[in-house]
Amino acid sequence: MTEATLAHQWWKDAVFYQIYPRSFQDSNGDGRGDIPGIISRLDEIAALGVTALWLSPLYPSPDADNGYDISDYRGIDPRYGTLEDFDRLVAAAKERGIRVVMDLVINHTSDEHPWFQASRRREEPYADYYIWRPPRNLGDDSGDREPPNNWTGFFMGSAWEWDDVRQEFYLHLFDKKQPDLNYHNPAVIEEIKGILKFWLDRGVAGFRCDVISLLYKSSLEDGKPGAIRGLEHYKAQPGTHKILHELRHAVLDPYNAFTVGETVMVTLEEAKDLSDPGRGELDLVFYFDHLEVDRLVARYGPKPFRADTLLRRLTTWQRGLDWNALYLENHDQPRIVSHYGNDRHYWSRSAQMLAVLQLTLRGTPFIYQGQEIGMTNFDFTSLDQINDVESHNIDRLLRRRGVPYSLRWYLIKTASRDNARTPVQWDSSEHAGFTTGQPWLGVNANASWLNYAAQDGDPKSVLNFYRRLIRLRAASPTLRAGGFEPLIADRAVMAYRRTPTAGSTDPGYTVWLNFSDQTQRLKQPWLTSAMSDPEAGPTGAGPVHPPECVVSNTGRRRLDGCLLPWEAMVIRDGTATPWRGDAA
Ligand code: TEU
């Protein structure tokens, strides 16, 4: 890779921060976050060490899926502000050295998008913009209309909806208000190019591409039995690769724009192809494997967590991909401290341990709003407090099958995407400083003590721990880009090494993490192998600068044969010459 190419890969040194605008900061008292609210918090974001923002959708939307159902790709929803507000945001972020990345939701539109409205009336050129099919049994006289195939959607139930106007079914992999676009139609791809240019010309640095691995449907044949029936006909198809390559070549490359694709259910091989620099498609992918260690399918069906399973999966992806998108939370996932941590008895320590995990892996970190203060899952106690369309669709389906309320609530409570969507807890005032009005979704009662203001000046807080780790990472080529080697793991503990990049004076690091409520004794052979000094000379004279603990969430600075509950330690190797790095 030439030096010019490397210089263009700014995203390799970036720290991203995802904003879910509805829940971030309200400025006008309507109970929903907005763009002026985001602008008012840019200093807090910059203080964290963030250098790029990913904004979840701000486009006009009927909000069937909180903005992931877009009715105008070239506008800003008036409830978030105006295009001028957006331009001000991009400029204000730029002043702080922060780039802005938009969410690009092009697998589907809203059913209220003018394209769909024209398409259902068969008006050209839109008649063929969506995936329309007659019922399967047209011609029989039973009067029942069977969907064209057996596919099921991601929000449960059939992936087809009957349209009375067009008298045909349309495909929707998500909610019925999110009809899938037809990527067999070249006119659709031209529309997307225009949309990309529109935002790139306004100064955005790139796109997070929603469910991009599902774009192209190769065939509409029946699907094999499985959780999501039909997947094999549209997951990571050659047609999708072709479109991504075309978008990169025709639009993204001339702007040196960045893309991270949300790649649902992909294997490592599929992810590699989608993000292989040589193929020129996506820069990075968001896979889900590492968040599903304790689940049977996606976010459902709990099973016991094991640190060794997590380390095995992380190793597969750390080694398998050229560069990883590192994330533990987003607007669809439970809060990580409530998921892999312990938000009751070791809240702060486990939140910090998980920060160490995320920020000592090779790749580009994406931090989700509120993660940096250790926000927890919601404290809702009943289904009527939930907004998430996915939760309600699942509830409806289970109700129809006679599943009792208590079981439905149990299932939805742990999996609902609203766990990550409660308003950001800025301070301990009413509604946590998020809004002066009535918040669109309940604020967690723990905002009385778990909030940004309480942590800002406290050196021991989760927030300041994140800030220090981000600074350490920025100063360490090894932590950002060095090699990754798993060291040891069992049910509760893992350790891995980060090895120096070629030609760097930054030495290697060993990371120790305890994922349990118990003190874990480290077996002697583990310690010996971890502590053998790679820098020691042939005489065994040892390094000038001894190994040093540069990160600890307990205050302990020596690995003495055990790890306290949820303890994290990062130990820098000894060096032959005195080390002048920045310690955290
Ligand atoms: O999510 C896609 C996706 O598959 C999920 O993470 C989804 O929430 C879950 O797996 C369903 O079980 C993206 C967006 O991030 C999500 O918010 C949208 O609802 C979805 O696409 C549709 O646009």
Side-chain angles (χ1 to χ4, degrees):
M1 204 162 285
T2 66
E3 233 163 80
T5 322
L6 283 174
H8 282 143
Q9 293 182 328
W10 57 267
W11 43 271
K12 285 198 168 174
D13 288 330
V15 176
F16 276 82
Y17 185 83
Q18 182 194 349
I19 292 186
Y20 193 67
R22 257 174 111 92
S23 302
F24 188 64
Q25 176 68 67
D26 183 19
S27 75
N28 62 2
D30 69 355
R32 295 171 48 125
D34 48 39
I35 297 176
I38 299 175
I39 296 176
S40 74
R41 292 291 185 185
L42 281 175
D43 287 333
E44 282 85 342
I45 295 169
L48 186 59
V50 163
T51 58
L53 293 178
W54 149 27
L55 305 172
S56 275
L58 291 161
Y59 315 91
S61 163
D63 264 354
D65 187 17
N66 291 357
Y68 284 87
D69 49 322
I70 297 171
S71 54
D72 173 8
Y73 285 96
R74 295 169 196 246
I76 294 292
D77 193 296
R79 291 166 297 182
Y80 289 132
T82 61
L83 270 172
E84 290 65 43
D85 289 329
F86 180 80
D87 293 342
R88 280 202 299 125
L89 168 59
V90 173
K94 192 173 176 193
E95 275 170 29
R96 293 163 176 85
I98 297 174
R99 291 177 163 93
V100 173
V101 163
M102 295 283 274
D103 213 313
L104 184 76
V105 189
I106 55 170
N107 176 69
H108 44 266
T109 70
S110 163
D111 64 338
E112 296 179 35
H113 194 291
W115 297 343
F116 188 79
Q117 291 304 318
S119 193
R120 68 201 299 216
R121 293 191 298 265
R122 298 178 195 260
E123 284 168 19
E124 292 302 347
Y126 303 106
D128 213 13
Y129 266 40
Y130 296 84
I131 302 171
W132 295 101
R133 288 293 181 279
R136 198 203 278 271
N137 60 342
L138 194 70
D140 94 357
D141 45 13
S142 68
D144 292 341
R145 283 187 297 254
E146 283 288 321
N149 67 28
N150 70 354
W151 293 8
T152 51
F154 283 76
F155 292 163
M156 311 293 159
S158 170
W160 294 92
E161 184 72 13
W162 176 255
D163 184 59
D164 269 334
V165 177
R166 176 135 167 172
Q167 292 288 305
E168 278 190 307
F169 279 96
Y170 63 87
L171 180 74
H172 62 93
L173 294 185
F174 292 88
D175 190 62
K176 64 179 183 212
K177 284 185 68 64
Q178 295 170 295
D180 282 47
L181 283 164
N182 172 19
Y183 280 92
H184 292 252
N185 183 349
V188 171
I189 302 171
E190 291 311 306
E191 295 274 12
I192 303 303
K193 288 182 187 165
I195 293 163
L196 293 175
K197 283 204 188 100
F198 177 85
W199 293 103
L200 290 167
D201 285 335
R202 293 200 104 86
V204 313
F207 301 92
R208 174 268 185 185
C209 310
D210 191 65
V211 292
I212 204 72
S213 50
L214 314 180
L215 218 53
Y216 188 87
K217 283 77 184 171
S218 290
S219 92
L220 294 178
E221 282 162 35
D222 275 343
K224 293 189 298 218
I228 309 247
R229 246 175 0 229
L231 195 63
E232 68 275 20
H233 298 296
Y234 57 79
K235 187 181 64 152
Q237 297 296 298
T240 297
H241 287 293
K242 197 165 154 260
I243 294 165
L244 288 176
H245 184 76
E246 185 178 337
L247 294 179
R248 160 136 324 265
H249 181 75
V251 189
L252 297 163
D253 268 351
Y255 288 86
N256 185 32
F258 159 79
T259 53
V260 52
E262 186 204 25
T263 50
V264 184
M265 302 202 162
V266 289
T267 61
L268 174 65
E269 289 312 311
E270 289 165 339
K272 264 185 178 164
D273 284 347
L274 287 162
S275 61
D276 175 353
R279 292 174 64 115
E281 298 180 20
L282 298 164
D283 291 314
L284 293 176
V285 295
F286 287 128
Y287 49 85
F288 295 79
D289 208 24
H290 64 302
L291 291 178
E292 294 168 358
V293 168
D294 57 348
R295 302 159 177 175
L296 297 171
V297 183
R299 294 194 310 285
Y300 298 91
K303 63 176 189 194
F305 173 86
R306 294 194 58 105
D308 44 12
T309 311
L310 176 59
L311 184 63
R312 201 166 49 242
R313 295 192 186 187
L314 288 172
T315 304
T316 301
W317 292 90
Q318 284 279 298
R319 288 185 168 164
L321 292 183
D322 181 58
W323 198 257
N324 277 253
L326 308 169
Y327 78 101
L328 296 175
E329 290 187 16
N330 63 32
H331 63 291
D332 295 332
Q333 296 290 329
R335 292 289 185 175
I336 198 65
V337 68
S338 304
H339 182 195
Y340 285 172
N342 180 341
D343 64 6
R344 299 175 60 122
H345 303 302
Y346 289 96
W347 162 72
S348 141
R349 200 192 285 175
S350 64
Q352 293 178 343
M353 184 279 280
L354 291 159
V356 173
L357 171 69
Q358 183 180 7
L359 293 165
T360 57
L361 293 172
R362 174 186 156 89
T364 298
F366 289 75
I367 294 165
Y368 178 65
Q369 66 182 35
Q371 184 187 338
E372 76 278 24
I373 55 169
M375 275 180 65
T376 64
N377 279 355
F378 60 51
D379 55 356
F380 299 162
T381 52
S382 73
L383 270 164
D384 51 2
Q385 290 167 288
I386 300 260
N387 166 281
D388 180 7
V389 58
E390 183 193 56
S391 305
H392 285 296
N393 285 358
I394 291 172
D395 180 53
R396 206 171 308 124
L397 201 89
L398 296 177
R399 214 166 34 202
R400 258 191 260 133
R401 295 190 183 161
V403 176
Y405 178 87
S406 55
L407 184 55
R408 281 184 278 136
W409 173 236
Y410 168 77
L411 287 171
I412 286 168
K413 188 175 147 70
T414 44
S416 176
R417 302 182 301 175
D418 281 355
N419 278 306
R421 298 178 180 182
T422 59
V424 170
Q425 296 164 198
W426 293 107
D427 58 42
S428 60
S429 67
E430 202 188 4
H431 309 315
F434 162 68
T435 181
T436 54
Q438 199 49 41
W440 74 276
L441 189 67
V443 172
N444 196 314
N446 64 19
S448 62
W449 57 269
L450 197 175
N451 61 66
Y452 187 94
Q455 296 187 29
D456 190 22
D458 173 3
K460 290 197 150 76
S461 66
V462 176
L463 176 62
N464 277 306
F465 194 79
Y466 265 93
R467 289 173 177 159
R468 284 197 301 274
L469 267 176
I470 291 170
R471 271 204 306 276
L472 173 73
R473 189 182 165 88
S476 166
T478 304
L479 289 179
R480 292 197 308 278
F484 177 90
E485 283 172 17
L487 211 53
I488 54 100
D490 64 11
R491 188 188 53 76
V493 164
M494 71 164 73
Y496 50 86
R497 283 198 38 82
R498 301 298 315 282
T499 55
T501 53
S504 158
T505 56
D506 187 18
Y509 295 74
T510 310
V511 179
W512 294 88
L513 306 171
N514 181 354
F515 285 80
S516 78
D517 287 353
Q518 287 80 39
T519 296
Q520 301 289 337
R521 224 153 258 305
L522 301 170
K523 294 166 201 145
Q524 195 51 41
W526 289 3
L527 284 172
T528 321
S529 70
M531 290 303 152
S532 65
D533 176 17
E535 299 292 327
T539 57
V544 169
H545 195 79
E548 184 193 352
C549 174
V550 289
V551 177
S552 160
N553 63 347
T554 58
R556 299 196 320 149
R557 294 267 152 193
R558 259 176 56 85
L559 199 63
D560 62 357
C562 69
L563 285 175
L564 299 180
W566 302 101
E567 189 167 39
M569 273 196 204
V570 180
I571 299 184
R572 182 193 283 135
D573 288 353
T575 50
T577 48
W579 167 248
R580 291 185 208 288
D582 176 19

Coordinates of all heavy atoms in Angstrom, one line a residue, residues 18 20 54 56-57 65-69 103 105 107-108 153-156 173-175 178 208 210-211 214 228 262-265 288 292 298-300 330-333 388-390 394 417 421, ligand 1:
Q18 N -21.3 7.1 18.1 CA -22.6 7.0 17.5 C -23.6 7.8 18.2 O -23.8 7.7 19.4 CB -23.1 5.6 17.3 CG -24.4 5.5 16.6 CD -25.2 4.2 16.8 OE1 -24.6 3.2 17.2 NE2 -26.4 4.1 16.4
Y20 N -27.7 8.6 18.5 CA -29.0 8.3 18.1 C -29.8 9.5 18.5 O -30.2 9.8 19.6 CB -29.5 7.1 19.0 CG -30.8 6.4 18.6 CD1 -30.8 5.7 17.4 CD2 -31.9 6.5 19.4 CE1 -32.0 5.1 17.0 CE2 -33.1 5.9 19.0 CZ -33.1 5.2 17.8 OH -34.3 4.5 17.4
W54 N -21.0 9.1 13.9 CA -22.0 8.5 13.1 C -23.3 8.9 13.6 O -23.6 8.7 14.8 CB -21.8 7.0 13.1 CG -23.1 6.1 12.9 CD1 -24.2 6.5 12.2 CD2 -23.3 4.8 13.4 NE1 -25.1 5.5 12.3 CE2 -24.6 4.5 13.0 CE3 -22.5 3.9 14.1 CZ2 -25.2 3.2 13.3 CZ3 -23.1 2.7 14.4 CH2 -24.4 2.3 14.0
S56 N -27.3 8.4 13.5 CA -28.4 7.6 13.1 C -29.4 8.6 12.3 O -29.3 9.8 12.4 CB -29.1 7.0 14.3 OG -28.4 5.8 14.6
P57 N -30.3 8.0 11.5 CA -31.0 8.8 10.6 C -31.7 10.1 11.1 O -32.4 10.1 12.1 CB -32.1 7.9 10.0 CG -31.5 6.5 10.2 CD -30.7 6.6 11.5
D65 N -40.0 3.0 12.3 CA -38.9 2.4 12.9 C -37.8 3.5 13.3 O -36.7 3.4 13.0 CB -38.3 1.4 11.9 CG -37.1 0.5 12.4 OD1 -37.0 0.5 13.7 OD2 -36.4 -0.1 11.7
N66 N -38.4 4.5 13.9 CA -37.5 5.6 14.4 C -36.5 6.1 13.4 O -35.3 6.2 13.7 CB -36.8 5.2 15.6 CG -37.7 5.0 16.8 OD1 -38.9 5.3 16.7 ND2 -37.2 4.6 17.9
G67 N -37.0 6.4 12.2 CA -36.1 7.1 11.2 C -35.5 6.1 10.2 O -34.9 6.5 9.2
Y68 N -35.5 4.8 10.5 CA -34.9 3.8 9.6 C -36.0 3.5 8.5 O -35.9 2.5 7.8 CB -34.4 2.6 10.3 CG -33.1 2.8 11.0 CD1 -33.0 3.4 12.2 CD2 -31.9 2.6 10.3 CE1 -31.8 3.7 12.8 CE2 -30.7 2.9 10.9 CZ -30.6 3.4 12.1 OH -29.4 3.7 12.7
D69 N -37.0 4.3 8.4 CA -38.0 4.3 7.3 C -38.1 5.7 6.8 O -38.7 6.6 7.3 CB -39.4 3.8 7.9 CG -39.8 4.6 9.1 OD1 -38.9 4.9 10.0 OD2 -41.0 4.9 9.3
D103 N -26.1 8.0 8.3 CA -26.6 6.7 8.2 C -27.3 6.6 6.8 O -28.1 7.5 6.5 CB -27.7 6.5 9.3 CG -27.7 5.0 9.8 OD1 -27.7 4.1 8.9 OD2 -27.7 4.8 11.0
V105 N -29.8 4.4 4.7 CA -30.7 3.3 4.8 C -31.3 3.1 3.4 O -32.3 3.7 3.0 CB -31.8 3.6 5.8 CG1 -32.6 2.3 6.1 CG2 -31.2 4.1 7.1
N107 N -31.7 -0.2 1.8 CA -32.4 -1.5 1.5 C -33.9 -1.3 1.3 O -34.5 -2.0 0.5 CB -32.1 -2.5 2.6 CG -32.8 -3.8 2.4 OD1 -32.5 -4.6 1.5 ND2 -33.9 -4.1 3.1
H108 N -34.4 -0.4 2.0 CA -35.8 -0.1 2.0 C -36.1 1.4 2.2 O -35.2 2.1 2.6 CB -36.5 -0.9 3.1 CG -35.8 -0.8 4.4 ND1 -34.9 -1.8 4.8 CD2 -35.8 0.1 5.4 CE1 -34.4 -1.5 6.0 NE2 -34.9 -0.3 6.4
G153 N -39.6 -12.1 7.8 CA -38.8 -10.9 8.0 C -38.0 -10.9 9.3 O -38.2 -11.8 10.1
F154 N -37.2 -9.9 9.4 CA -36.4 -9.7 10.6 C -37.2 -9.3 11.8 O -36.8 -9.5 13.0 CB -35.3 -8.7 10.4 CG -34.1 -9.3 9.6 CD1 -34.3 -9.4 8.2 CD2 -33.0 -9.6 10.2 CE1 -33.2 -10.0 7.4 CE2 -31.9 -10.2 9.4 CZ -32.1 -10.3 8.1
F155 N -38.4 -8.7 11.6 CA -39.3 -8.3 12.7 C -40.4 -9.4 12.9 O -41.4 -9.1 13.4 CB -39.8 -6.9 12.5 CG -38.8 -5.8 12.5 CD1 -39.2 -4.6 12.0 CD2 -37.6 -6.0 13.1 CE1 -38.3 -3.5 12.1 CE2 -36.7 -4.9 13.2 CZ -37.0 -3.7 12.7
M156 N -40.1 -10.6 12.4 CA -41.1 -11.7 12.5 C -42.3 -11.6 11.6 O -42.6 -10.6 11.1 CB -41.6 -11.9 14.0 CG -40.5 -11.8 15.0 SD -39.4 -13.2 15.0 CE -38.0 -12.6 15.8
L173 N -38.4 -6.8 4.3 CA -37.6 -7.7 5.2 C -37.7 -7.2 6.6 O -37.5 -7.9 7.6 CB -36.1 -7.7 4.8 CG -35.8 -8.4 3.5 CD1 -34.3 -8.5 3.3 CD2 -36.4 -9.8 3.4
F174 N -38.1 -5.9 6.8 CA -38.3 -5.3 8.1 C -39.8 -5.1 8.3 O -40.6 -5.8 7.9 CB -37.4 -4.2 8.4 CG -35.9 -4.6 8.4 CD1 -35.2 -4.8 7.3 CD2 -35.4 -5.1 9.6 CE1 -33.9 -5.3 7.3 CE2 -34.1 -5.6 9.6 CZ -33.4 -5.7 8.5
D175 N -40.2 -3.9 8.9 CA -41.6 -3.7 9.1 C -42.4 -3.5 7.8 O -41.8 -3.2 6.8 CB -41.7 -2.4 10.0 CG -43.2 -2.2 10.5 OD1 -43.6 -3.1 11.2 OD2 -43.8 -1.2 10.1
Q178 N -41.7 -0.6 5.7 CA -40.4 -0.5 5.1 C -40.2 -1.4 3.9 O -39.5 -2.4 3.9 CB -39.4 -0.8 6.2 CG -39.3 0.1 7.4 CD -38.5 -0.4 8.6 OE1 -38.8 -1.4 9.2 NE2 -37.4 0.3 8.9
R208 N -22.6 5.1 7.2 CA -22.8 3.8 7.8 C -24.0 3.2 7.0 O -25.0 3.8 6.9 CB -23.1 4.0 9.3 CG -23.5 2.7 10.0 CD -25.0 2.5 10.0 NE -25.4 1.3 10.8 CZ -26.7 0.9 10.8 NH1 -27.6 1.4 10.2 NH2 -27.0 -0.2 11.6
D210 N -26.8 0.8 6.3 CA -27.8 -0.1 7.0 C -28.0 -1.4 6.3 O -28.2 -1.4 5.0 CB -29.1 0.7 7.2 CG -30.1 0.0 8.1 OD1 -29.8 0.0 9.3 OD2 -31.2 -0.4 7.6
V211 N -28.0 -2.5 7.0 CA -28.3 -3.8 6.5 C -27.8 -4.0 5.0 O -28.5 -4.6 4.2 CB -29.7 -4.3 6.6 CG1 -30.1 -4.5 8.1 CG2 -30.7 -3.3 6.0
L214 N -27.9 -7.2 2.7 CA -29.1 -7.8 2.2 C -29.7 -7.2 0.9 O -30.8 -7.5 0.5 CB -30.2 -7.6 3.3 CG -29.8 -8.0 4.8 CD1 -31.0 -7.7 5.7 CD2 -29.3 -9.4 4.9
I228 N -34.7 -17.1 9.9 CA -35.1 -16.0 9.0 C -35.2 -16.8 7.6 O -34.1 -17.0 7.0 CB -34.1 -14.9 8.9 CG1 -33.8 -14.4 10.3 CG2 -34.5 -13.8 7.9 CD1 -34.2 -13.0 10.6
E262 N -23.3 -2.2 7.8 CA -23.9 -3.2 8.8 C -24.2 -4.4 8.1 O -25.0 -4.5 7.2 CB -25.2 -2.6 9.4 CG -25.7 -3.4 10.5 CD -27.2 -3.2 10.8 OE1 -27.9 -2.8 9.8 OE2 -27.6 -3.5 11.9
T263 N -23.4 -5.5 8.4 CA -23.5 -6.7 7.6 C -24.1 -7.8 8.5 O -23.5 -8.4 9.3 CB -22.1 -7.1 7.1 OG1 -21.2 -7.1 8.2 CG2 -21.7 -6.2 6.0
V264 N -25.4 -8.0 8.3 CA -26.2 -8.8 9.1 C -26.0 -10.3 8.8 O -26.0 -10.7 7.6 CB -27.7 -8.5 9.0 CG1 -28.6 -9.3 9.9 CG2 -28.0 -7.0 9.2
M265 N -25.7 -11.1 9.8 CA -25.6 -12.6 9.7 C -24.5 -13.0 8.7 O -24.5 -14.2 8.2 CB -26.9 -13.2 9.2 CG -28.0 -12.8 10.2 SD -29.3 -13.9 10.1 CE -30.1 -13.6 11.7
F288 N -21.7 -9.3 14.1 CA -22.4 -9.4 15.3 C -21.9 -10.6 16.2 O -22.3 -10.7 17.4 CB -23.9 -9.6 15.1 CG -24.6 -8.4 14.5 CD1 -24.5 -8.2 13.1 CD2 -25.3 -7.5 15.2 CE1 -25.0 -7.1 12.5 CE2 -25.9 -6.4 14.6 CZ -25.8 -6.2 13.3
E292 N -22.9 -12.2 20.5 CA -23.9 -13.3 20.5 C -23.3 -14.6 21.2 O -23.8 -15.7 21.1 CB -24.4 -13.6 19.1 CG -25.2 -12.5 18.6 CD -25.5 -12.6 17.1 OE1 -25.1 -13.5 16.4 OE2 -26.2 -11.6 16.6
A298 N -29.3 -14.4 17.3 CA -29.3 -12.9 17.4 C -29.4 -12.5 18.8 O -28.5 -12.8 19.6 CB -30.4 -12.3 16.5
R299 N -30.4 -11.7 19.2 CA -30.5 -11.3 20.6 C -31.4 -12.2 21.5 O -31.7 -11.8 22.6 CB -31.0 -9.8 20.7 CG -30.1 -8.8 20.0 CD -30.5 -7.4 20.4 NE -31.9 -7.1 20.2 CZ -32.4 -6.9 19.0 NH1 -31.7 -7.0 17.9 NH2 -33.7 -6.6 18.9
Y300 N -31.7 -13.4 20.9 CA -32.7 -14.2 21.6 C -32.2 -15.5 22.1 O -31.2 -16.1 21.5 CB -33.9 -14.4 20.7 CG -34.6 -13.1 20.4 CD1 -34.2 -12.4 19.3 CD2 -35.5 -12.6 21.3 CE1 -34.8 -11.1 19.1 CE2 -36.1 -11.3 21.1 CZ -35.7 -10.6 20.0 OH -36.3 -9.4 19.7
N330 N -24.8 -0.5 20.2 CA -25.4 0.4 19.2 C -26.8 0.6 19.6 O -27.3 0.1 20.7 CB -25.1 0.0 17.8 CG -25.8 -1.3 17.5 OD1 -26.8 -1.6 18.0 ND2 -25.2 -2.1 16.6
H331 N -27.6 1.2 18.7 CA -29.0 1.5 19.1 C -29.9 0.3 19.0 O -31.1 0.4 19.2 CB -29.5 2.6 18.1 CG -29.5 2.1 16.7 ND1 -28.3 1.9 16.0 CD2 -30.5 1.8 15.9 CE1 -28.6 1.5 14.8 NE2 -30.0 1.4 14.7
D332 N -29.3 -0.9 18.6 CA -30.1 -2.1 18.5 C -29.8 -3.1 19.6 O -30.5 -4.2 19.7 CB -29.9 -2.8 17.2 CG -30.4 -2.0 15.9 OD1 -31.3 -1.2 16.1 OD2 -29.8 -2.2 14.9
Q333 N -28.7 -2.9 20.3 CA -28.2 -3.9 21.3 C -28.4 -3.4 22.7 O -28.5 -2.3 23.0 CB -26.7 -4.0 21.0 CG -26.3 -4.5 19.7 CD -26.6 -6.0 19.5 OE1 -26.6 -6.8 20.5 NE2 -26.9 -6.4 18.3
D388 N -40.2 0.4 20.8 CA -39.5 -0.4 19.7 C -40.5 -1.2 18.9 O -41.2 -2.1 19.4 CB -38.5 -1.3 20.3 CG -37.7 -2.1 19.3 OD1 -37.9 -1.9 18.1 OD2 -36.9 -3.0 19.7
V389 N -40.6 -0.9 17.6 CA -41.5 -1.6 16.7 C -41.2 -3.1 16.6 O -42.1 -3.9 16.5 CB -41.4 -1.0 15.2 CG1 -40.0 -1.0 14.7 CG2 -42.4 -1.6 14.3
E390 N -39.9 -3.5 16.7 CA -39.6 -4.9 16.7 C -40.2 -5.6 17.9 O -40.8 -6.6 17.8 CB -38.1 -5.1 16.7 CG -37.7 -6.5 16.6 CD -36.2 -6.8 16.9 OE1 -35.7 -6.4 18.0 OE2 -35.5 -7.3 16.0
I394 N -43.1 -8.6 17.8 CA -42.8 -9.9 18.4 C -43.9 -10.2 19.4 O -44.5 -11.3 19.4 CB -41.5 -9.9 19.0 CG1 -40.4 -9.9 18.0 CG2 -41.3 -11.2 19.9 CD1 -39.0 -9.8 18.5
R417 N -34.8 -3.3 21.8 CA -33.8 -2.3 21.4 C -33.9 -1.0 22.2 O -33.0 -0.2 22.2 CB -33.9 -2.1 19.9 CG -33.7 -3.4 19.1 CD -33.8 -3.2 17.6 NE -35.0 -2.7 17.2 CZ -35.3 -2.3 15.9 NH1 -34.3 -2.5 15.0 NH2 -36.4 -1.8 15.6
R421 N -32.0 2.9 23.9 CA -32.6 4.1 23.3 C -33.1 5.1 24.4 O -33.6 6.1 24.0 CB -33.7 3.7 22.4 CG -33.1 2.8 21.2 CD -34.2 2.4 20.2 NE -33.5 1.6 19.2 CZ -34.2 1.1 18.1 NH1 -35.5 1.3 18.0 NH2 -33.5 0.4 17.2
Ligands
TEU1 O1 -30.7 -3.2 11.8 C1 -30.6 -4.4 11.2 C2 -30.7 -5.6 12.0 O2 -30.8 -6.7 11.5 C3 -30.7 -5.6 13.5 O3 -29.8 -5.4 14.3 C4 -32.1 -5.7 13.9 O4 -32.5 -4.7 14.8 C5 -32.3 -7.0 14.6 O5 -31.4 -7.9 14.1 C6 -33.7 -7.5 14.2 O6 -33.8 -8.7 15.0 C7 -30.7 -2.0 11.1 C8 -30.9 -0.9 12.0 O7 -29.7 -0.7 12.8 C9 -32.1 -1.0 12.8 O8 -32.3 0.0 13.7 C10 -33.3 -1.0 11.8 O9 -34.5 -1.3 12.5 C11 -33.1 -2.0 10.7 O10 -31.8 -2.0 10.2 C12 -34.0 -1.7 9.5 O11 -33.6 -0.5 8.9

